[in-house]
């Protein structure tokens, strides 16, 4: 129950923190030595190759031009300069749509969106109503009522609730209208984006899972036979998938050794008087001391031998061919047909789906059988439920330790220390650790679900994180107690009692959420722009590891938009804004401030820093949409509960219709727009096919598709071996397999024969975490991989 | 709280009733005069043309062969004689699968199914456990406990509940196993059935809705352009749909006049001394008296003129062409591709679906736009909710009238009469009327939802009726009070309290349900075989209306399986059986008896009486499956609630896992089998296409498909006009449009030029109720329309 002055103090502190961060950023940003930390995107894009600075030595590291210090906030207008279509070309559609969500919350760039009119209306209508009818003034002695409460619904007599109900209707209609328009926009942008993409392997390719194993036939033969029969006019070729998980592990280990070798060689170069040595035992702590460089070279040699053996084994053994394949078609139309239809009368066989981008494939998950997928999903959803509702139990346990009086009695001499440690520090630490590892846990869980694209687990983890936030942050803050206690009490309350219980506490918690927004949304976002962690790591690496310009590029960690964390917290802000719009409108300016500030910061980061990992074509939008709808429904139910306790029960039927209407609106939107995110319409496919035929009639698709979906490990093969694999599996015309223009369009350096070389391109780092080091996984990616020409208003070739 | 002897008396009464019905049936059945009532299917099938009887006059009407009276139950073994594949040939797949549901309940024909082993296990294990541990014996004075309760779970101390929990697990696993096997069977049968069908128009045709209206282009042009572009290799032709609802109304009225004319002409033939007359005023009560035959002839002439005008208007006016069309393809593969894919980037335009059978189309619903469909569905689901939960309110209101003491005081002279009428008769009458019209209401609601096939509303109505039964019969009987009161109390109880409230009453209500099963399931089913209503109506028609053999055929009303009513009540029996299997196993033999008896009766009716209205290929099976799963989950939750009150709360976690496992099993089955009911796999389509090409390589598909989907009103056109329509819309090769073999395969007499003639074929009666009299709607149907060759074990042409 904070008073207005408490809020003021808190606001002051947070604003000062935010300003301190911004100031630090402004100073650090213009130092040439930090250039690669704050502008990595431009290096990756090829727009920048070294810091622009004056000639002398000091100026290479420190900015001496004092004029630039005066305009320390000039990144803000710069961030707004780039137009949306430029932004899409620069950083991909995902990033542009991600920013649109923020602008949906505030008013920048795209005109007035959701919250600006709501804030204005709510502040000008509700606060006078709430203040004027001061019923709570007289209850002050009995109830502890804060100043904020005076501005909220707690202060209103029953009759005037109709103002609130009316506004709830108004806001719902407004938000739904905006969501509809936005969904329409995003769907159009997505289709335009897809239409403007250059020819890419995934447009022609379908991933086929659960290919039945017929004895006497190889998987390749069954595939050829099946698709030649059932897609005779469009089937082109296919690419088998090998179970090379073991080999990938070897590759990973060898890469680690290579890193050590590099490190030691660098060390030797710098201090050439002394060859580095190491002990051969566990962690280098004991054992015989040997020359490090020789040791690692020897080890790598052995690994190369083993890997060659393993590679041969994978290739020779028919058992290592998985019942999965990438099937390519002669046209986008053929692939669209195959991806959307059921192939076999047994619907668990010959499962077809659009193939993800080659760099987006999660190779390990390709081999999971159908039944196992069902079981995995069940287990994971049970675990998520447990995680969400029992996550706080360990913390409660730690907290209960603080009250162990028995412990005190047993060891009275430890008392002062133990008490302060147990009560003050341990629970907080436990909570911090648990919250810190939560996103990782959720990502691991999502990966176990068995998705074949690397980008899918991100969306799934985002959903799980949202549930966690909803239960543990939103509900957990309103109804105090752990989520488990809530669950218990909810199970023993009637369904009509639950919104009432929560609804009543909502106005009381407004001050808490205002503080939350300021800490997490203002200071936190300002911290994001400072990039303290990458800054420190970059300079450390720069000091110890970097020997060449290419290594410096490696050390640069641009990062990317962290969708699994940012999307759910964004949705939490929407929830807060929508719930409090009618109840305590004074919260709205804080939310608005968050959206505007976060929009600016993320726009700056996306333009200058982040490097896009993959392009999903705004695949996350339907989730964002449906979660804003969920927020609306939650707000309506809570208002219903709140008014029920306020002796305004007559209004129940009026408000009860609203959730039903909102949900039907959602249903309508789902029908209307969602297919644009799930399926590729034949009309579009055909249009692009025809366009291709007229512009480039003699492209050889076979060579273009030949090894787009070759398992990354074969990228490291000798020329000869590769040829062998291809002839064996892909049926490529040998004479054409290298050097023609179609080939060079997707892969510029993958035919290079020597395996361990560092990519010079903008290789995304994602796969690296999941199995394959960059030199194996990404040789085939190229700077033009995102290349497409985005037309702001494409000519509609058919009327 | 009935005792065992009460149950005995009730059983005796019901068995006697059932036997009386069976006896009456046995006697009536063998009278030649009733032949068309009890064996209409054979007349329709062409297997019978007149009753087989001796020569003399009396023997034509009454069976004088007294030997046949002795074997009055011989229809039972006869009903079992026909094998399943014969049955499918004889009455369609729907009927065969419908019977399989009954046999799933008992043990006939297909080996031991769900309930036989359950009954045996439950009776031999549970009843000894329940009886031996007679804790309730000592409470007898306080509680009124019936003998039945002694055999139920009420009588068991906490420890032994683990027997019940173990059995619940065992039964769940058994039922799931049986359901899995059965789903597999049904899916295989469906695919085999579809594969064995002859060439039919709907295999090549897709219905396209929401064709966009482009100014300057006709719908036909847009269609041609769109499909020629996007399905260039497979598109064949299309058939526009006219908005002829007004014309259809005229046709209906004209048909009614024709009936009156026929009636009057017949009357005049019989009593030729006096020409029938009628008054022209309202209902023939006043006005000028005129000669009836002349009057109707005149009226019909006028109608014909009006109809010709209206017909011209429909044809000429481009506005009467709806944005809907039937698009036909050169191959089944092409149609399967088009039906399963998204065509346009706006997912509300160019919506494609498999076309229903031509006779199954609901022409009026074809023109409903997308938005209206969403709204309709929302309104209907709200209405169903209201109907289910507030259906009993009018009855409660009528009942409350009975207690109006004020009324008595106002009019004391009416007292004895009013009291007995209000209290004894009115509420019962109101309930009966409401229950009688319920299926009709549900059918109307389902039709408003806007389905384009006539068979879909039947399935939808069946779902609605199931919810009604579940809430009003099952829950309504267990928790006394109206559904509205239940809803109210459920909203104010905690979610864990609800199964407890219901669970506790379950054992007490076993006797009620035993009585219910005997009345509804034994005597009711015996009433079904007697066909009292069709018997009476047939003889009335025979007396007053029939003038020729063809009319007699018309008077015959074979009826059909009434899916919207029988499926839900069947599912109610499954629910009762599953819920009581563990709680009061003594109920199981009654259920078993019902399944066996109903199986016999319906098998007899399907073989001898019912005429199939449409063939959905067992489309109702997924619903049956998921509702049996729902019954399982309900039984598990209720047992959980019951045990919770029994101080066996420790067992909660053990039982709580079961619903989750059951639901995941359902999810798995959905993935595994449901696509077989929703989509047509490309593999199957291609197989049939190839088979066709080899067996009949020179069939002209264009003529075959030319007017399969012609709007029924154009069936009545003069030859010339029809030709005109075709050339205009369907682009048929004129020289081939009549008389070739492909044509005669689906339509044998539709080119007959004179409109008002009665069909001589087995025209199904369904469309007749919804818009078009038989002579307009069904000239194109033919006895071979169901024709296909069903192979018991088709040779798999590919290994």
């Amino acid at each position: 129950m904070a008073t207005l002055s408490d809020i003021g103090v808190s606001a002051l502190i947070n604003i000062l923190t935010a300003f301190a961060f911004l100031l630090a950023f402004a100073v650090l940003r213009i130092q040439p030595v930090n250039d690669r930390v704050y502008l990595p995107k431009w290096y990756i894009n090829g727009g920048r190759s070294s810091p622009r600075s004056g000639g002398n030595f000091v100026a290479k590291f420190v900015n001496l031009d004092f004029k630039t210090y005066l305009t320390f906030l000039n990144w803000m207008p710069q961030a707004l300069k780039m137009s949306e279509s430029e932004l899409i070309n620069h950083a991909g559609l995902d990033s542009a749509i991600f920013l649109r969500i923020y602008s949906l919350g505030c008013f920048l760039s795209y005109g007035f969106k959701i919250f600006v009119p709501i804030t204005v209306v709510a502040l000008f209508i509700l606060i006078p109503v709430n203040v004027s009818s001061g019923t709570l003034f007289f209850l002050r002695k009995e109830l502890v009522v804060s100043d904020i409460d005076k501005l909220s619904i707690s202060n209103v007599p029953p009759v005037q609730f109709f103002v609130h109900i009316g506004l709830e209707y108004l806001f719902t209609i407004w938000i739904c209208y905006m969501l509809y328009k936005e969904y329409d926009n995003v769907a159009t942008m997505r289709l335009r984006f897809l239409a403007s993409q250059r020819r890419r392997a995934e447009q022609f390719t379908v991933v086929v899972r659960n290919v039945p194993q017929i004895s006497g036939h190889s998987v390749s033969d069954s595939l050829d036979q099946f698709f030649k029969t059932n897609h005779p006019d469009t089937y082109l070729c296919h690419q088998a998938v090998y179970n090379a998980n073991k080999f990938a592990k070897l590759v990973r280990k060898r890469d680690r050794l290579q890193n050590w070798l590099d490190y030691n060689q660098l060390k030797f170069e710098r201090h050439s008087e002394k060859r580095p040595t190491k002990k051969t035992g566990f962690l280098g702590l004991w054992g015989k001391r040997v020359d490090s460089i020789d040791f690692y070279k020897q080890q790598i040699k052995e690994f190369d031998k083993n890997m060659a053996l393993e590679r041969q084994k994978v290739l020779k053994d028919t058992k290592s061919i998985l019942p999965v394949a990438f099937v390519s078609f002669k046209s986008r139309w053929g692939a669209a047909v195959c991806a959307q239809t059921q192939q076999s009368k047994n619907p668990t066989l010959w499962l077809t789906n659009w193939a993800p981008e080659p760099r987006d494939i999660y190779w390990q998950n390709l081999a999971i059988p159908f039944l196992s997928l069902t079981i995995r999903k069940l287990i994971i959803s049970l675990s998520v439920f447990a995680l969400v509702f029992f996550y706080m139990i360990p913390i409660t346990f730690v907290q209960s330790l603080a009250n162990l009086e028995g412990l005190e009695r047993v060891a009275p001499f430890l008392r002062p220390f133990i008490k302060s440690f147990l009560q003050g520090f341990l629970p907080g630490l436990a909570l911090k650790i648990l919250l810190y590892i939560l996103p990782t846990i959720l990502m691991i869980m999502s990966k176990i679900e068995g998705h074949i694209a690397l980008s899918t687990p991100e969306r799934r983890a985002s959903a799980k994180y949202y549930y966690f936030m909803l239960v543990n942050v939103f509900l957990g803050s309103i109804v105090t107690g752990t989520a488990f206690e809530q669950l218990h009490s909810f199970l023993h309350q009637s369904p009509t009692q639950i919104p009432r219980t929560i609804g009543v506490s909502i106005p009381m918690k407004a001050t808490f959420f205002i503080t939350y927004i300021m800490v997490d949304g203002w200071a936190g976002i300002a911290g994001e722009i400072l990039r303290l962690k990458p800054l420190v790591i970059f300079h450390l690496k720069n000091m110890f590891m970097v020997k060449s310009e290419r290594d410096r590029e490696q050390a640069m960690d641009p990062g990317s938009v962290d969708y699994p964390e940012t999307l759910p917290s964004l949705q939490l802000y929407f929830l807060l804004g929508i719930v409090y719009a009618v109840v305590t409108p004074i919260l709205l300016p804080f939310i608005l401030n968050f959206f505007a500030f976060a929009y600016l910061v993320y726009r700056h980061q996306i333009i200058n820093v982040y490097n896009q990992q993959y392009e999903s074509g705004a695949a996350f939008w339907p989730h964002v949409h449906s979660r804003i709808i969920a927020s609306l429904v939650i707000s309506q139910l809570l208002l219903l509960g709140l008014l029920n306790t306020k002796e305004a029960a007559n209004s129940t039927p009026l408000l009860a219709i609203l959730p039903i209407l909102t949900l039907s609106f959602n249903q309508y939107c789902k029908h209307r727009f969602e297919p644009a995110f799930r399926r590729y319409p034949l009309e579009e496919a055909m249009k692009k096919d025809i366009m291709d035929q007229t512009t480039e009639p003699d492209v050889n698709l076979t060579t273009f598709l030949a090894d787009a979906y070759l398992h990354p490990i074969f990228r490291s093969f000798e020329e000869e071996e590769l040829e062998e694999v291809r002839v064996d599996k892909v049926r490529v015309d040998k004479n054409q397999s290298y050097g023609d223009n179609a080939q060079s369009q997707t892969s510029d350096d993958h035919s290079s024969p020597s395996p361990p070389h560092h990519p010079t391109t903008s290789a995304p780092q994602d796969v690296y975490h999941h199995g394959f080091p960059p030199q194996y996984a990404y040789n085939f990616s190229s700077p033009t991989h995102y290349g497409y020409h985005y037309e702001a208003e494409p000519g509609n070739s058919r009327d």
Side-chain angles (χ1 to χ4, degrees), chain A:
Chain A
M1 303 283 166
T3 59
L4 272 181
S5 65
D6 289 347
I7 297 279
V9 170
S10 172
L12 194 69
I13 293 171
N14 281 296
I15 288 170
L16 285 180
T17 317
F19 259 91
F21 283 150
L22 289 182
L23 215 62
F25 166 67
V27 170
L28 289 173
R29 183 175 73 100
I30 49 178
Q31 309 307 326
V33 75
N34 293 331
D35 217 46
R36 282 180 182 275
V37 177
Y38 292 113
L39 296 166
K41 178 76 181 170
W42 295 104
Y43 281 90
I44 290 166
N45 248 16
R48 212 174 171 99
S49 58
S50 66
R52 283 155 205 152
S53 58
N56 72 16
F57 182 76
V58 180
K60 262 187 185 161
F61 300 98
V62 183
N63 189 338
L64 299 173
D65 184 358
F66 289 100
K67 264 189 284 178
T68 54
Y69 285 96
L70 294 175
T71 55
F72 78 99
L73 277 178
N74 69 346
W75 61 268
M76 283 195 178
Q78 270 173 20
L80 291 176
K81 252 184 207 158
M82 196 177 261
S83 80
E84 193 173 35
S85 57
E86 278 168 2
L87 192 71
I88 296 175
N89 278 322
H90 179 74
L93 185 69
D94 278 347
S95 312
I97 300 293
F98 176 70
L99 288 178
R100 276 187 90 95
I101 309 175
Y102 284 98
S103 76
L104 198 68
C106 70
F107 64 96
L108 285 151
S109 311
Y110 309 105
F112 287 79
K113 291 286 170 80
I114 287 182
F115 278 118
V116 171
I118 288 184
T119 308
V120 172
V121 170
L123 289 182
F124 279 84
I125 293 182
L126 278 184
I127 288 197
V129 168
N130 293 353
V131 171
S132 70
S133 51
T135 41
L136 276 185
F137 276 109
F138 309 102
L139 300 170
R140 211 167 184 183
K141 273 170 203 164
E142 291 121 75
L143 281 164
V144 188
V145 177
S146 74
D147 293 336
I148 294 287
D149 275 0
K150 240 185 285 172
L151 307 174
S152 86
I153 204 172
S154 312
N155 207 26
V156 173
V159 186
Q160 292 176 19
F161 283 132
F162 288 101
V163 177
H164 296 86
I165 295 172
L167 282 181
E168 183 75 20
Y169 266 89
L170 196 69
F171 293 166
T172 303
I173 292 166
W174 172 248
I175 292 170
C176 286
Y177 170 70
M178 289 313 296
L179 281 178
Y180 182 84
K181 263 185 61 183
E182 197 60 23
Y183 213 148
D184 199 6
N185 271 339
V186 172
T188 315
M189 283 170 76
R190 179 187 159 89
L191 286 172
R192 203 186 295 156
F193 176 80
L194 292 179
S196 67
Q197 277 177 322
R198 290 218 192 123
R199 185 187 300 108
R200 298 173 66 168
E202 67 264 26
Q203 294 166 343
F204 295 89
T205 308
V206 160
V207 56
V208 180
R209 306 172 75 183
N210 289 17
V211 178
Q213 309 268 14
I214 303 158
S215 62
H217 286 256
S218 75
V219 170
S220 273
D221 289 348
S222 330
L223 271 162
D224 259 347
Q225 199 192 331
F226 187 85
F227 284 97
K228 271 183 186 155
T229 312
N230 294 308
H231 296 270
D233 301 330
T234 50
Y235 173 63
L236 186 69
C237 62
H238 74 268
Q239 186 112 43
V241 176
Y242 293 87
N243 186 353
N245 291 349
K246 200 179 156 195
F247 184 66
K249 215 183 223 167
L250 288 177
V251 170
R252 228 161 30 236
K253 274 189 191 154
R254 188 200 176 288
D255 192 51
R256 221 171 297 139
L257 290 173
Q258 181 71 40
N259 268 347
W260 277 112
L261 180 62
D262 288 355
Y263 168 77
N264 279 300
Q265 274 171 336
L266 185 65
K267 212 165 153 189
F268 183 58
E269 272 169 39
R270 287 195 185 162
H271 313 275
S272 54
E273 68 282 3
K274 183 191 159 208
R275 275 184 84 86
T277 57
K278 81 176 288 263
K279 287 173 180 174
T280 54
F282 179 72
L283 284 176
L285 293 177
W286 54 76
K288 219 177 79 187
R289 180 165 291 277
V290 291
D291 183 284
S292 291
I293 293 174
D294 291 347
F295 174 77
Y296 286 117
K297 271 188 179 156
Q298 179 61 25
Q299 287 256 315
I300 286 171
K301 213 180 230 169
E302 265 172 49
F303 254 88
D304 281 344
K305 214 188 289 166
N306 282 339
M307 278 162 68
L309 281 176
E310 174 70 26
R311 191 193 291 155
Q312 286 304 322
K313 214 177 102 194
V314 168
L315 277 178
K316 293 275 145 64
D317 190 6
T318 51
K319 272 180 201 157
S320 67
I321 297 184
L322 294 172
V324 184
F326 293 96
V327 175
S328 295
F329 291 83
K330 286 177 193 148
S331 62
R332 294 178 185 82
W333 188 90
V337 161
C338 183
Q340 291 178 46
T341 49
Q342 192 192 332
Q343 307 303 315
S344 153
K345 62 180 173 181
N346 180 344
T348 58
L349 296 180
W350 300 105
L351 297 175
T352 53
N353 277 100
W354 277 110
E357 294 178 71
R359 59 179 169 163
D360 194 21
I361 286 169
Y362 198 152
W363 293 96
Q364 278 118 307
N365 275 351
L366 277 172
I368 301 170
F370 192 77
L371 183 63
S372 163
L373 276 182
T374 316
I375 295 170
R376 276 159 184 254
K377 267 177 198 146
L378 171 70
I379 290 173
I380 292 296
S381 35
L382 287 179
S383 317
V384 169
F385 181 84
L387 190 71
V388 167
F389 281 97
F390 306 121
Y391 201 70
M392 290 299 159
I393 288 183
I395 293 161
T396 323
F397 175 73
V398 171
Q399 272 169 336
S400 74
L401 273 183
N403 297 322
L404 271 184
E405 290 179 11
L407 196 71
E408 279 180 21
R409 234 173 288 139
V410 172
F413 54 95
L414 282 174
R415 206 179 149 181
F417 173 70
I418 282 188
K419 199 175 172 183
S420 65
F421 178 75
L422 285 183
Q423 284 188 349
F425 186 64
L426 208 55
L429 185 71
L431 182 65
K432 271 271 171 259
I433 291 172
L434 280 178
L435 284 180
Y436 188 75
I437 59 171
L438 180 68
T440 319
I441 296 175
L442 294 178
M443 266 308 275
I444 291 169
M445 283 175 134
S446 305
K447 278 176 190 162
I448 291 172
E449 279 175 359
H451 306 284
I452 58 167
L454 289 166
S455 54
T456 322
E458 290 222 341
R459 285 199 289 286
R460 304 284 306 161
S462 157
K464 295 182 178 81
Y465 201 64
Y466 175 74
Y467 299 132
F468 186 85
M469 300 271 272
L470 183 68
V471 170
N472 285 297
V473 177
F474 182 70
L475 292 181
S477 309
I478 289 174
V479 186
T480 40
T482 67
F484 175 65
E485 282 165 22
Q486 288 167 41
L487 182 69
H488 187 79
S489 77
F490 287 165
L491 280 178
H492 292 85
Q493 279 178 347
S494 78
T496 49
Q497 187 58 43
I498 296 166
R500 218 176 289 172
T501 316
I502 303 168
V504 173
S505 336
I506 278 189
M508 322 260 183
K509 293 292 171 179
T511 48
F512 169 78
F513 282 118
I514 289 175
T515 321
Y516 180 87
I517 292 165
M518 288 190 295
V519 173
D520 182 80
W522 297 3
I525 294 292
E528 177 69 36
I529 205 172
L530 190 58
R531 287 172 60 74
L532 213 57
K533 203 175 128 196
L535 180 74
V536 170
I537 289 175
F538 174 73
H539 285 298
L540 282 178
K541 275 190 179 168
N542 225 352
M543 252 179 273
F544 295 110
M545 300 279 289
V546 169
K547 50 181 176 178
S548 71
E549 199 59 24
R550 205 162 68 188
D551 285 357
R552 186 163 294 126
E553 210 149 307
Q554 276 273 294
M556 190 166 79
D557 171 25
S560 64
V561 183
D562 186 10
Y563 294 111
E565 276 188 73
T566 46
L567 282 182
S569 61
L570 192 49
Q571 285 148 8
L572 181 74
Y573 285 102
F574 270 103
L575 178 67
L576 287 178
I578 291 168
V579 165
Y580 278 101
V582 170
V583 177
T584 313
I586 197 72
L587 197 118
L588 286 175
F590 293 87
I591 298 254
L592 214 56
N593 207 330
F594 158 77
F595 277 119
F597 185 49
Y599 175 73
L600 278 171
V601 166
Y602 278 112
R603 205 167 211 272
H604 172 264
Q605 299 293 83
I606 282 169
I607 291 173
N608 297 311
V609 181
Y610 296 149
N611 183 32
Q612 200 187 12
Q613 301 293 337
Y614 56 83
E615 177 60 63
S616 74
F620 55 80
W621 181 263
H623 302 286
V624 173
H625 174 88
S626 57
R627 266 167 228 144
I628 296 179
I629 294 280
S631 305
L632 266 176
V633 173
I634 290 173
S635 87
Q636 291 153 2
L637 292 178
L638 293 186
L639 187 66
L640 195 66
L642 178 60
L643 292 188
N644 251 337
T645 60
K646 286 274 174 189
E647 293 162 43
N650 318 340
S651 60
T652 306
L654 258 179
L655 263 177
I657 303 164
L658 210 46
I660 297 170
L661 290 179
T662 312
L663 288 176
S664 351
F665 166 76
N666 187 34
Q667 218 47 34
Y668 177 75
C669 282
K670 217 182 160 83
H671 279 296
R672 174 72 184 77
F673 298 117
E674 216 183 280
F677 292 82
R678 303 267 169 273
R679 303 167 119 197
Y680 190 45
L682 295 188
E683 191 184 14
E684 296 285 298
M686 191 52 100
K687 207 191 270 172
K688 272 197 83 97
D689 281 342
I690 291 169
M691 214 156 69
D692 263 18
Q693 272 166 30
T694 49
T695 53
E696 303 167 277
D698 44 280
V699 156
N700 189 327
L701 259 183
T702 318
T703 47
F704 172 68
L705 294 168
D707 49 5
Y709 283 94
L710 199 59
H711 196 297
I713 58 159
F714 299 120
R715 304 278 167 195
S716 64
F717 277 20
E718 306 298 314
E719 189 78 317
E720 260 171 84
E721 276 179 282
L722 194 58
E723 203 69 5
E724 188 186 307
V725 173
R726 276 189 188 166
V727 172
D728 209 26
K729 308 291 153 209
V730 202
R731 289 143 214 276
V732 183
D733 186 1
K734 259 194 180 181
N735 307 322
Q736 290 194 310
S737 57
Y738 284 102
D740 68 347
N741 63 334
Q743 184 70 7
S744 60
Q745 208 158 2
T746 44
S747 56
D748 51 353
D749 63 349
H750 75 265
S751 51
S752 128
S754 60
H757 81 281
H758 294 279
T760 56
T761 63
S762 63
Q765 304 300 312
D766 205 7
V767 169
Y768 184 65
H769 305 304
H770 311 300
F772 305 108
Q775 65 267 41
Y776 294 101
Y778 285 117
N779 291 359
F780 57 103
S781 81
S782 77
T784 60
H785 209 102
Y786 279 124
Y788 56 87
H789 181 66
Y790 188 84
E791 299 166 36
E793 199 61 62
N796 207 338
S797 64
R798 185 186 309 151
D799 62 341

